Tab-separated table of all heavy atoms in Angstrom:
chain	number	residue	atom	x	y	z
A	6	ILE	N	6.389	-16.034	-2.361
A	6	ILE	CA	6.970	-15.304	-3.477
A	6	ILE	C	7.252	-13.863	-3.071
A	6	ILE	O	8.297	-13.300	-3.408
A	6	ILE	CB	6.047	-15.372	-4.711
A	6	ILE	CG1	5.988	-16.811	-5.233
A	6	ILE	CG2	6.533	-14.445	-5.818
A	6	ILE	CD1	4.946	-17.045	-6.277
A	7	SER	N	6.339	-13.265	-2.320
A	7	SER	CA	6.548	-11.900	-1.839
A	7	SER	C	7.763	-11.827	-0.922
A	7	SER	O	8.550	-10.874	-0.992
A	7	SER	CB	5.312	-11.402	-1.103
A	7	SER	OG	4.211	-11.376	-1.973
A	8	LEU	N	7.932	-12.817	-0.060
A	8	LEU	CA	9.113	-12.842	0.805
A	8	LEU	C	10.395	-13.000	-0.003
A	8	LEU	O	11.419	-12.376	0.317
A	8	LEU	CB	8.999	-13.964	1.828
A	8	LEU	CG	8.016	-13.744	2.964
A	8	LEU	CD1	7.947	-14.984	3.847
A	8	LEU	CD2	8.384	-12.527	3.780
A	9	LEU	N	10.351	-13.811	-1.037
A	9	LEU	CA	11.530	-13.977	-1.886
A	9	LEU	C	11.898	-12.672	-2.589
A	9	LEU	O	13.081	-12.379	-2.777
A	9	LEU	CB	11.290	-15.094	-2.908
A	9	LEU	CG	11.204	-16.510	-2.351
A	9	LEU	CD1	10.818	-17.485	-3.446
A	9	LEU	CD2	12.512	-16.919	-1.703
A	10	VAL	N	10.896	-11.889	-2.946
A	10	VAL	CA	11.162	-10.581	-3.548
A	10	VAL	C	11.777	-9.637	-2.517
A	10	VAL	O	12.734	-8.914	-2.806
A	10	VAL	CB	9.873	-9.979	-4.148
A	10	VAL	CG1	10.079	-8.528	-4.548
A	10	VAL	CG2	9.417	-10.797	-5.343
A	11	ILE	N	11.258	-9.653	-1.300
A	11	ILE	CA	11.772	-8.776	-0.248
A	11	ILE	C	13.229	-9.091	0.065
A	11	ILE	O	14.056	-8.184	0.241
A	11	ILE	CB	10.906	-8.887	1.022
A	11	ILE	CG1	9.544	-8.268	0.767
A	11	ILE	CG2	11.582	-8.217	2.212
A	11	ILE	CD1	8.536	-8.526	1.853
A	12	PHE	N	13.571	-10.383	0.098
A	12	PHE	CA	14.944	-10.779	0.396
A	12	PHE	C	15.829	-10.836	-0.848
A	12	PHE	O	16.944	-11.333	-0.793
A	12	PHE	CB	14.956	-12.125	1.128
A	12	PHE	CG	14.399	-12.034	2.513
A	12	PHE	CD1	13.265	-12.746	2.868
A	12	PHE	CD2	14.990	-11.221	3.470
A	12	PHE	CE1	12.748	-12.656	4.148
A	12	PHE	CE2	14.486	-11.120	4.742
A	12	PHE	CZ	13.354	-11.843	5.087
A	13	LYS	N	15.308	-10.308	-1.962
A	13	LYS	CA	16.036	-10.168	-3.224
A	13	LYS	C	16.558	-11.487	-3.770
A	13	LYS	O	17.627	-11.556	-4.348
A	13	LYS	CB	17.175	-9.161	-3.065
A	13	LYS	CG	16.673	-7.782	-2.722
A	13	LYS	CD	17.786	-6.779	-2.578
A	13	LYS	CE	17.181	-5.446	-2.192
A	13	LYS	NZ	18.181	-4.434	-1.991
A	14	VAL	N	15.759	-12.552	-3.583
A	14	VAL	CA	16.087	-13.842	-4.176
A	14	VAL	C	15.638	-13.856	-5.633
A	14	VAL	O	16.324	-14.394	-6.497
A	14	VAL	CB	15.438	-14.998	-3.379
A	14	VAL	CG1	15.676	-16.340	-4.046
A	14	VAL	CG2	15.962	-15.002	-1.950
A	15	ILE	N	14.468	-13.253	-5.885
A	15	ILE	CA	13.987	-13.100	-7.254
A	15	ILE	C	13.726	-11.617	-7.508
A	15	ILE	O	13.418	-10.864	-6.576
A	15	ILE	CB	12.710	-13.935	-7.520
A	15	ILE	CG1	11.575	-13.536	-6.587
A	15	ILE	CG2	12.984	-15.411	-7.413
A	15	ILE	CD1	10.254	-14.220	-6.893
A	16	PRO	N	13.868	-11.159	-8.757
A	16	PRO	CA	13.602	-9.745	-9.066
A	16	PRO	C	12.138	-9.384	-8.833
A	16	PRO	O	11.243	-10.222	-8.994
A	16	PRO	CB	13.949	-9.635	-10.555
A	16	PRO	CG	14.760	-10.824	-10.873
A	16	PRO	CD	14.378	-11.892	-9.898
A	17	TYR	N	11.901	-8.133	-8.486
A	17	TYR	CA	10.543	-7.724	-8.132
A	17	TYR	C	9.587	-7.780	-9.317
A	17	TYR	O	8.396	-8.028	-9.139
A	17	TYR	CB	10.534	-6.338	-7.486
A	17	TYR	CG	10.736	-5.191	-8.434
A	17	TYR	CD1	9.655	-4.541	-8.998
A	17	TYR	CD2	12.003	-4.735	-8.762
A	17	TYR	CE1	9.820	-3.489	-9.863
A	17	TYR	CE2	12.196	-3.692	-9.620
A	17	TYR	CZ	11.101	-3.064	-10.177
A	17	TYR	OH	11.275	-2.028	-11.043
A	18	VAL	N	10.094	-7.560	-10.520
A	18	VAL	CA	9.216	-7.595	-11.688
A	18	VAL	C	8.670	-9.014	-11.894
A	18	VAL	O	7.478	-9.198	-12.144
A	18	VAL	CB	9.966	-7.108	-12.949
A	18	VAL	CG1	9.102	-7.264	-14.186
A	18	VAL	CG2	10.412	-5.675	-12.787
A	19	ILE	N	9.532	-9.998	-11.761
A	19	ILE	CA	9.099	-11.389	-11.909
A	19	ILE	C	8.113	-11.752	-10.793
A	19	ILE	O	7.086	-12.382	-11.032
A	19	ILE	CB	10.306	-12.340	-11.918
A	19	ILE	CG1	11.145	-12.082	-13.168
A	19	ILE	CG2	9.865	-13.789	-11.852
A	19	ILE	CD1	12.454	-12.830	-13.204
A	20	GLY	N	8.413	-11.343	-9.575
A	20	GLY	CA	7.512	-11.604	-8.455
A	20	GLY	C	6.160	-10.937	-8.647
A	20	GLY	O	5.121	-11.529	-8.356
A	21	LEU	N	6.177	-9.721	-9.147
A	21	LEU	CA	4.929	-9.001	-9.384
A	21	LEU	C	4.074	-9.716	-10.425
A	21	LEU	O	2.864	-9.886	-10.234
A	21	LEU	CB	5.222	-7.570	-9.838
A	21	LEU	CG	4.026	-6.708	-10.185
A	21	LEU	CD1	3.234	-6.384	-8.924
A	21	LEU	CD2	4.473	-5.439	-10.862
A	22	VAL	N	4.694	-10.149	-11.500
A	22	VAL	CA	3.953	-10.847	-12.558
A	22	VAL	C	3.380	-12.161	-12.035
A	22	VAL	O	2.216	-12.495	-12.300
A	22	VAL	CB	4.862	-11.080	-13.783
A	22	VAL	CG1	4.216	-12.011	-14.786
A	22	VAL	CG2	5.221	-9.759	-14.441
A	23	ILE	N	4.172	-12.906	-11.270
A	23	ILE	CA	3.707	-14.189	-10.735
A	23	ILE	C	2.543	-13.984	-9.769
A	23	ILE	O	1.513	-14.656	-9.869
A	23	ILE	CB	4.858	-14.951	-10.052
A	23	ILE	CG1	5.886	-15.388	-11.090
A	23	ILE	CG2	4.329	-16.159	-9.295
A	23	ILE	CD1	7.164	-15.956	-10.481
A	24	VAL	N	2.687	-13.061	-8.835
A	24	VAL	CA	1.634	-12.830	-7.836
A	24	VAL	C	0.367	-12.300	-8.499
A	24	VAL	O	-0.742	-12.753	-8.185
A	24	VAL	CB	2.134	-11.872	-6.728
A	24	VAL	CG1	0.995	-11.418	-5.844
A	24	VAL	CG2	3.214	-12.550	-5.911
A	25	PHE	N	0.513	-11.375	-9.419
A	25	PHE	CA	-0.666	-10.828	-10.099
A	25	PHE	C	-1.344	-11.905	-10.940
A	25	PHE	O	-2.569	-12.001	-10.968
A	25	PHE	CB	-0.270	-9.629	-10.967
A	25	PHE	CG	-1.441	-8.864	-11.505
A	25	PHE	CD1	-2.209	-8.074	-10.675
A	25	PHE	CD2	-1.784	-8.950	-12.840
A	25	PHE	CE1	-3.297	-7.376	-11.158
A	25	PHE	CE2	-2.868	-8.256	-13.340
A	25	PHE	CZ	-3.626	-7.468	-12.494
A	26	GLY	N	-0.556	-12.718	-11.611
A	26	GLY	CA	-1.119	-13.813	-12.403
A	26	GLY	C	-1.866	-14.816	-11.543
A	26	GLY	O	-2.959	-15.264	-11.899
A	27	LEU	N	-1.278	-15.185	-10.408
A	27	LEU	CA	-1.952	-16.115	-9.506
A	27	LEU	C	-3.229	-15.513	-8.930
A	27	LEU	O	-4.226	-16.214	-8.752
A	27	LEU	CB	-1.008	-16.538	-8.382
A	27	LEU	CG	0.130	-17.473	-8.781
A	27	LEU	CD1	1.090	-17.667	-7.622
A	27	LEU	CD2	-0.415	-18.803	-9.254
A	28	ALA	N	-3.206	-14.216	-8.653
A	28	ALA	CA	-4.408	-13.553	-8.146
A	28	ALA	C	-5.512	-13.578	-9.200
A	28	ALA	O	-6.681	-13.786	-8.874
A	28	ALA	CB	-4.090	-12.119	-7.734
A	29	LEU	N	-5.151	-13.377	-10.460
A	29	LEU	CA	-6.145	-13.445	-11.531
A	29	LEU	C	-6.704	-14.853	-11.678
A	29	LEU	O	-7.906	-15.032	-11.898
A	29	LEU	CB	-5.530	-13.002	-12.856
A	29	LEU	CG	-5.384	-11.504	-13.066
A	29	LEU	CD1	-4.637	-11.239	-14.371
A	29	LEU	CD2	-6.721	-10.826	-13.092
A	30	ILE	N	-5.843	-15.852	-11.566
A	30	ILE	CA	-6.279	-17.233	-11.733
A	30	ILE	C	-7.206	-17.662	-10.595
A	30	ILE	O	-8.276	-18.238	-10.822
A	30	ILE	CB	-5.068	-18.185	-11.836
A	30	ILE	CG1	-4.329	-17.940	-13.148
A	30	ILE	CG2	-5.490	-19.641	-11.724
A	30	ILE	CD1	-2.985	-18.632	-13.237
A	31	PHE	N	-6.781	-17.388	-9.355
A	31	PHE	CA	-7.525	-17.897	-8.212
A	31	PHE	C	-8.713	-17.043	-7.798
A	31	PHE	O	-9.693	-17.559	-7.271
A	31	PHE	CB	-6.595	-18.105	-7.010
A	31	PHE	CG	-5.641	-19.249	-7.200
A	31	PHE	CD1	-4.283	-19.024	-7.224
A	31	PHE	CD2	-6.113	-20.534	-7.361
A	31	PHE	CE1	-3.396	-20.075	-7.402
A	31	PHE	CE2	-5.244	-21.588	-7.539
A	31	PHE	CZ	-3.881	-21.361	-7.564
A	32	ASP	N	-8.626	-15.728	-7.991
A	32	ASP	CA	-9.729	-14.852	-7.588
A	32	ASP	C	-9.769	-13.615	-8.477
A	32	ASP	O	-9.417	-12.510	-8.055
A	32	ASP	CB	-9.571	-14.468	-6.121
A	32	ASP	CG	-10.861	-13.929	-5.517
A	32	ASP	OD1	-11.889	-13.949	-6.214
A	32	ASP	OD2	-10.827	-13.519	-4.351
A	33	GLY	N	-10.185	-13.800	-9.696
A	33	GLY	CA	-10.244	-12.709	-10.658
A	33	GLY	C	-11.223	-11.619	-10.272
A	33	GLY	O	-11.018	-10.447	-10.593
A	34	LYS	N	-12.299	-11.992	-9.571
A	34	LYS	CA	-13.286	-10.994	-9.158
A	34	LYS	C	-12.698	-10.000	-8.164
A	34	LYS	O	-13.021	-8.816	-8.190
A	34	LYS	CB	-14.507	-11.670	-8.546
A	34	LYS	CG	-15.338	-12.426	-9.541
A	34	LYS	CD	-16.535	-13.069	-8.866
A	34	LYS	CE	-17.334	-13.879	-9.869
A	34	LYS	NZ	-18.476	-14.549	-9.228
A	35	ALA	N	-11.827	-10.481	-7.287
A	35	ALA	CA	-11.208	-9.587	-6.296
A	35	ALA	C	-10.293	-8.582	-6.977
A	35	ALA	O	-10.208	-7.427	-6.544
A	35	ALA	CB	-10.434	-10.394	-5.267
A	36	VAL	N	-9.620	-9.005	-8.028
A	36	VAL	CA	-8.739	-8.084	-8.756
A	36	VAL	C	-9.557	-6.996	-9.436
A	36	VAL	O	-9.158	-5.832	-9.458
A	36	VAL	CB	-7.878	-8.860	-9.782
A	36	VAL	CG1	-7.054	-7.921	-10.635
A	36	VAL	CG2	-6.969	-9.854	-9.075
A	37	LYS	N	-10.714	-7.360	-9.950
A	37	LYS	CA	-11.576	-6.368	-10.591
A	37	LYS	C	-12.170	-5.396	-9.581
A	37	LYS	O	-12.393	-4.228	-9.895
A	37	LYS	CB	-12.705	-7.063	-11.350
A	37	LYS	CG	-12.238	-7.777	-12.588
A	37	LYS	CD	-13.398	-8.428	-13.302
A	37	LYS	CE	-12.920	-9.202	-14.508
A	37	LYS	NZ	-14.017	-9.893	-15.183
A	38	LYS	N	-12.439	-5.862	-8.361
A	38	LYS	CA	-13.041	-5.021	-7.323
A	38	LYS	C	-12.020	-4.133	-6.603
A	38	LYS	O	-12.404	-3.255	-5.846
A	38	LYS	CB	-13.725	-5.887	-6.268
A	38	LYS	CG	-15.014	-6.480	-6.695
A	38	LYS	CD	-15.602	-7.256	-5.527
A	38	LYS	CE	-17.029	-7.630	-5.755
A	38	LYS	NZ	-17.577	-8.327	-4.590
A	39	MET	N	-10.753	-4.366	-6.838
A	39	MET	CA	-9.712	-3.657	-6.109
A	39	MET	C	-9.782	-2.149	-6.356
A	39	MET	O	-10.126	-1.713	-7.456
A	39	MET	CB	-8.340	-4.179	-6.556
A	39	MET	CG	-7.306	-4.139	-5.502
A	39	MET	SD	-5.962	-5.245	-5.864
A	39	MET	CE	-4.998	-4.276	-6.948
A	40	ASP	N	-9.462	-1.371	-5.348
A	40	ASP	CA	-9.454	0.085	-5.467
A	40	ASP	C	-8.117	0.509	-6.072
A	40	ASP	O	-7.134	0.740	-5.375
A	40	ASP	CB	-9.661	0.723	-4.090
A	40	ASP	CG	-9.859	2.217	-4.178
A	40	ASP	OD1	-9.889	2.758	-5.301
A	40	ASP	OD2	-9.997	2.845	-3.117
Side-chain angles (χ1 to χ4, degrees):
I6 293 170
S7 298
L8 286 176
L9 291 174
V10 170
I11 291 170
F12 291 118
K13 298 181 182 178
V14 175
I15 59 174
Y17 75 93
V18 175
I19 294 173
L21 177 69
V22 170
I23 292 171
V24 169
F25 190 72
L27 288 173
L29 281 175
I30 291 169
F31 290 117
D32 198 5
K34 290 180 182 178
V36 175
K37 289 181 183 177
K38 285 183 167 182
M39 211 160 83
D40 188 3

